[in-house]
Amino acid sequence: MESSQPSRHFKPPWTLIRENSECYVVRDANGVTVAWLFCRDDSQRYSFGASKLTSDEARRIGKAISRIPEFMSQRQGFYPRGGGPRFRADRPYHVALGDMYIREHWAEIDAVCRVNSLPLNATGETIQNDGVWKVYEFTWQMDAILF
């Protein structure tokens, strides 16, 4: 079933506001509320508040929600893939990382990839230019940007 109402647009930027001691609110640029995040820091004292987020958890989640428009907008300097054999739409994004850097920081890189469900797939391609660089592929542009 399709809705006869036009889709709503929530104008960026979205901001996170501490409404009171028990609530964070995410609002768009027009003041429309996008999300409420309820929290309670004294949940150990009362059984009825045990299922609420702590204020720190609510703040972190609210901050992530407020960044959604950033991730959905076209970034300046980032363009959709063009044509040609090297940049086909079905090919993943490639990133070259210094081999020594990977070896020295493998534990942290592996942990970040696991926590964020980022596949770190080596292509097997090696670049010799001011050291040894290994090429890794990512399905999504944002994942590649993290590296």
Side-chain angles (χ1 to χ4, degrees), residues 91-95 119-123 135-140 143-144:
R91 287 191 61 172
Y93 292 88
H94 290 120
V95 176
L120 185 65
N121 300 320
T123 64
V135 178
Y136 296 86
E137 64 183 24
F138 298 91
T139 305
W140 303 104
D143 295 344

Side-chain angles (χ1 to χ4, degrees), residues 39-138:
C39 57
R40 185 172 193 112
D41 286 326
D42 59 355
S43 61
Q44 293 82 14
R45 291 178 33 195
Y46 307 101
S47 62
F48 61 84
S51 63
K52 289 192 179 178
L53 300 170
T54 66
S55 61
D56 184 56
E57 291 167 336
R59 182 191 52 78
R60 287 185 287 139
I61 292 169
K63 193 66 175 167
I65 292 170
S66 71
R67 294 186 66 201
I68 288 174
E70 291 177 43
F71 292 113
M72 294 179 70
S73 66
Q74 178 72 33
R75 286 177 175 48
Q76 192 171 10
F78 291 98
Y79 305 99
R81 290 184 161 188
R86 190 173 170 114
F87 296 107
R88 293 190 329 253
D90 63 339
R91 287 191 61 172
Y93 292 88
H94 290 120
V95 176
L97 301 172
D99 190 50
M100 287 302 297
Y101 177 82
I102 294 292
R103 291 175 189 266
E104 291 171 4
H105 299 93
W106 177 249
E108 300 96 57
I109 292 169
D110 186 52
V112 166
C113 288
R114 288 178 190 267
V115 167
N116 294 298
S117 300
L118 295 176
L120 185 65
N121 300 320
T123 64
E125 183 180 354
T126 301
I127 301 170
Q128 299 278 341
N129 186 4
D130 292 330
V132 177
W133 297 76
K134 302 289 183 169
V135 178
Y136 296 86
E137 64 183 24
F138 298 91

Side-chain angles (χ1 to χ4, degrees), residues 1-20:
M1 278 171 46
E2 290 188 31
S3 174
S4 62
Q5 295 179 348
S7 64
R8 294 180 65 176
H9 296 283
F10 300 98
K11 185 177 177 184
W14 293 0
T15 55
L16 179 65
I17 301 162
R18 181 77 186 245
E19 189 77 5
N20 57 46

